[in-house]
Amino acid sequence: LVASFPKSLMAAEDVNVTFEDQQKINKFARNTNRMSELKDEIEAKKKSLQNLEDASDDLMMCEDDAMLIPYQIGDVFISHSQEETQEMLEAGKEALQDEIKALEGRVSSIQEVLGDLKVQLYAKFGNNINLEADES
C-alpha cells in the first residue's frame, strides 16, 4: 500500500518544522506584508506626484502673471505669486521623487531577503510549502 503513494505525498509526513523554520516562515510573512504596504505607499505618492505635475502644467498655461495662486499648506490655502507657486510645486515634486526612490530601495532590499528565505524554505519543504503571493 505504501508503494502506491507518490513520493511527494510521503515527504509531507517526513518533514519536521523546527523552531528555526517557523521563525523563517514568520519572517517571510512579515516581510511580504511590509512589502505590500510599501508598494501601496509608493502608489499613493506617485498619485500625489502626478497631481503636482498636473498643477504645474496648469500653472504654466495661466496667462495672468499678476494673479495670486492659492497653494495649500496643511489645512490652509495661502496665496502666492505664480513664480513662487511654481517653485513650491517643483520643491514638492522633488521631495516626492526622493521619497519614492527611498521606498523603492526598501522594497528592493525586502525582495532580496524574501528571495533568500524562499530558497531556504523551498530547499527544506519543497512542494509542501507555498510561498507565492496570491494575485487576487
Side-chain angles (χ1 to χ4, degrees):
L1 183 65
V2 173
S4 66
F5 284 112
K7 190 167 181 83
S8 63
L9 289 178
M10 291 178 57
E13 296 174 18
D14 295 339
V15 178
N16 291 326
V17 179
T18 64
F19 178 74
E20 184 180 300
D21 296 332
Q22 189 60 53
Q23 294 299 93
K24 288 178 183 177
I25 293 168
N26 292 345
K27 184 177 180 182
F28 185 89
R30 282 191 310 272
N31 279 302
T32 301
N33 288 338
R34 183 65 186 137
M35 189 171 69
S36 177
E37 291 169 0
L38 289 173
K39 284 182 177 181
D40 291 344
E41 195 174 336
I42 288 170
E43 285 306 309
K45 289 193 182 296
K46 283 183 177 180
K47 283 183 182 179
S48 295
L49 180 61
Q50 184 61 48
N51 288 342
L52 288 178
E53 288 173 352
D54 291 345
S56 182
D57 292 345
D58 289 347
L59 190 58
M60 285 183 200
M61 289 186 228
C62 185
E63 294 176 11
D64 185 6
D65 290 340
M67 187 171 89
L68 291 178
I69 310 293
Y71 189 87
Q72 186 175 5
I73 301 175
D75 294 335
V76 181
F77 284 92
I78 300 175
S79 295
H80 294 282
S81 70
Q82 186 173 347
E83 186 177 321
E84 288 174 324
T85 304
Q86 189 68 37
E87 289 171 7
M88 293 173 81
L89 287 172
E90 291 301 319
K93 288 193 301 189
E94 286 178 22
L96 274 175
Q97 288 168 339
D98 291 343
E99 290 174 28
I100 290 170
K101 273 186 190 170
L103 290 172
E104 287 173 341
R106 289 173 62 190
V107 166
S108 179
S109 67
I110 288 174
Q111 285 173 330
E112 288 178 24
V113 170
L114 291 177
D116 292 343
L117 288 170
K118 268 187 184 183
V119 168
Q120 294 170 23
L121 292 169
Y122 276 133
K124 178 154 187 184
F125 297 106
N127 291 333
N128 297 323
I129 189 167
N130 180 13
L131 301 173
E132 302 307 315
D134 291 336
E135 299 296 331
S136 54

